[in-house]
Amino acid sequence: MADETIGVVGAGIVGLATARELALRRPGTRVLVLEKERKVAVHQTGHNSGVVHAGIYYAPGSLKADLCVRGVSLLREYCQERALPYKEIGKLVMAVRPDELGRMENLYERARNNHVPDLRKVSEEEIREIEPHAGGIAGLHSPRTAITDYPAIAREFAKDVEDSGGDVRLGFPVTSITNVPGGIEVAYGQERVRVDRLILCAGLHSDSVARLAQDKQEPRIVPFRGEYMLLKPDRTHLVRGLLYPVPDPRYPFLGVHFTPRVDGSVEVGPNAVLALAREGYQLSRVSVRDLAGLAAYPGSWKMAAQHWRTGIKEYRGSLSTAAFMKDAKLYVPGVGAKDVVRGGAGVRAQALDRDGTLVDDFRIHRSGRITAVRNAPSPAATASMAIAEHIVDAVFDDA
């Protein structure tokens, strides 16, 4: 109905892209975004590395692959229209040991199936031509992989929503969601709003907000903190583009890599350590409630049994700059602990099933008038506009 009100919980890049898509596709609909923070893009979007992924890593036919490829095209066009940063600096995925060559070949075939543009295999000598200071014995070069400023894009999405007559209401942490005749009541304390449909894009709190809406209990969110080093300004010239390892398919994180930013800085990282709070951007941040929730969930213990060795290694890097940079030196041998300073950190909302499986693909679940984004890992920022299309299709598939 053209006169209905649709609520979106969460003003990260996925929530705002979805609100924008609703406003564009459903003229006359009132779009209301509810965000607990006092500004948009505070959490995962605000701590994003800024990479626009080309689709190299994702299983062909998965939502990740399909939405990433579509999302890159939409995002590039949007950034060009709005004069937002978008720099195609290229990415090298490098094998540094002979036992990685088979995985790199599999990655190449996966990327080809995802139609990654202009991707090519490169030899050790060609790596040096592209990145004179890089290590590696072979690689894949994706020249169209880009970097951008996701918080700036999110702010522009919010402006689009408001310019279309929608409302981005900040400082509204949702405390209850209740089905009422003909709609849904969303409350923050004594303040209540009524909507006809509701979309949950709550990121780090996606499972707890979904529980307010009586959605399924799984998957649960496990927060992983990713910590970064920064190359000192006089060492940033050692890295021209994005330098990545060949990923280990047994683990959902990509490993330490080098990431130039649009401001000219170069990040090294991240590691991936279990955060002690959902918003645990600092080691000192501890939430007893979050930890108790993790301890009570069977999947947490099953995950720990599978990945404890990797966890110990990641924590070692968290405590020691030298340990952190040990793997990084394989990709840029001239960079060591003396060449970096501690940078920022982000927290990834990693969805976890009851059997201990780390959920890899996007999960979006609709129940009646409520649609919940239960898992939106990387490349969610890259794919945000395509995810928004997918969500809106799901919301109105019975219209």
Side-chain angles (χ1 to χ4, degrees):
M1 296 184 298
D3 60 348
E4 67 183 349
T5 297
I6 302 178
V8 178
V9 176
I13 197 166
V14 172
L16 290 168
T18 301
R20 176 182 178 274
E21 181 70 17
L22 286 165
L24 290 174
R25 201 186 300 190
R26 309 284 291 190
T29 296
R30 181 183 178 232
V31 179
L32 173 63
V33 180
L34 303 172
E35 166 58 45
K36 75 184 185 72
E37 305 294 351
R38 293 292 177 178
K39 60 180 181 178
V40 305
V42 168
H43 293 292
Q44 291 184 108
T45 305
H47 294 83
N48 191 285
S49 66
V51 178
V52 182
H53 294 282
I56 295 174
Y57 306 105
Y58 317 120
S62 65
L63 268 179
K64 269 190 176 183
D66 294 344
L67 297 181
C68 180
V69 172
R70 168 70 175 157
V72 170
S73 176
L74 293 171
L75 196 70
R76 182 192 307 115
E77 183 178 345
Y78 187 81
C79 288
Q80 290 170 348
E81 288 177 354
R82 305 302 175 95
L84 293 165
Y86 191 96
K87 300 179 181 180
E88 291 183 346
I89 63 172
K91 174 191 286 185
L92 267 173
V93 180
M94 294 188 298
V96 295
R97 293 182 295 269
D99 63 358
E100 295 177 331
L101 294 175
R103 296 208 310 266
M104 192 184 74
E105 185 64 31
N106 293 337
L107 196 65
Y108 177 69
E109 292 303 320
R110 176 173 284 196
R112 284 187 61 197
N113 288 331
N114 290 338
H115 307 291
V116 174
D118 303 327
L119 183 77
R120 65 187 182 99
K121 299 178 184 179
V122 291
S123 66
E124 187 171 350
E125 293 74 21
E126 290 171 310
I127 286 175
R128 306 295 178 270
E129 293 172 6
I130 299 166
E131 290 280 356
H133 302 284
I137 58 175
L140 304 177
H141 186 223
S142 171
R144 301 287 297 278
T145 297
I147 56 174
T148 190
D149 182 342
Y150 286 117
I153 294 170
R155 291 191 293 270
E156 194 73 10
F157 286 167
K159 182 176 181 296
D160 290 343
V161 172
E162 293 175 331
D163 288 348
S164 71
D167 184 17
V168 179
R169 190 173 301 183
L170 304 175
F172 193 109
V174 173
T175 54
S176 73
I177 297 171
T178 307
N179 282 290
V180 296
I184 303 152
E185 186 179 81
V186 185
Y188 162 42
Q190 298 303 309
E191 188 175 357
R192 285 167 166 72
V193 297
R194 189 183 181 283
V195 297
D196 296 284
R197 301 174 192 257
L198 187 64
I199 302 170
L200 309 179
C201 301
L204 287 162
H205 301 277
S206 60
D207 56 347
S208 56
V209 172
R211 285 198 297 274
L212 294 177
Q214 307 301 311
D215 193 41
K216 297 186 296 185
Q217 293 297 303
E218 282 91 31
R220 297 283 184 90
I221 293 299
V222 177
F224 281 93
R225 188 176 65 255
E227 301 161 328
Y228 289 90
M229 300 290 178
L230 285 172
L231 285 185
K232 292 179 179 177
D234 63 347
R235 304 298 278 169
T236 57
H237 69 281
L238 297 176
V239 178
R240 293 178 175 177
L242 298 153
L243 303 180
Y244 274 61
V246 177
D248 186 336
R250 297 170 300 175
Y251 199 58
F253 306 111
L254 290 173
V256 170
H257 44 275
F258 289 78
T259 309
R261 302 298 300 265
V262 293
D263 64 3
S265 63
V266 177
E267 290 181 332
V268 187
N271 60 355
V273 298
L274 185 67
L276 303 181
R278 292 191 186 226
E279 298 172 15
Y281 301 107
Q282 297 83 30
L283 278 169
S284 58
R285 179 75 182 272
V286 179
S287 167
V288 174
R289 179 179 180 180
D290 291 346
L291 288 175
L294 282 176
Y297 185 54
S300 301
W301 298 100
K302 294 175 182 177
M303 175 193 69
Q306 295 175 50
H307 298 294
W308 66 270
R309 289 182 180 86
T310 301
I312 290 173
K313 178 184 174 184
E314 296 292 309
Y315 271 109
R316 189 178 297 125
S318 179
L319 298 172
S320 164
T321 301
F324 189 105
M325 293 300 295
K326 182 179 179 181
D327 286 344
K329 282 177 64 67
L330 297 173
Y331 301 93
V332 184
V335 170
K338 68 181 187 306
D339 301 305
V340 297
V341 295
R342 288 276 173 179
V347 180
R348 169 176 172 160
Q350 175 61 56
L352 179 69
D353 276 331
R354 180 172 285 268
D355 65 359
T357 301
L358 296 164
V359 181
D360 184 58
D361 207 357
F362 300 132
R363 281 200 188 169
I364 299 167
H365 178 237
R366 179 184 166 192
S367 178
R369 294 172 177 266
I370 299 175
T371 302
V373 179
R374 298 300 300 266
N375 191 46
S378 179
T382 298
S384 56
M385 298 177 78
I387 294 171
E389 292 179 337
H390 181 81
I391 290 170
V392 175
D393 286 343
V395 169
F396 295 104
D397 68 357
D398 58 352

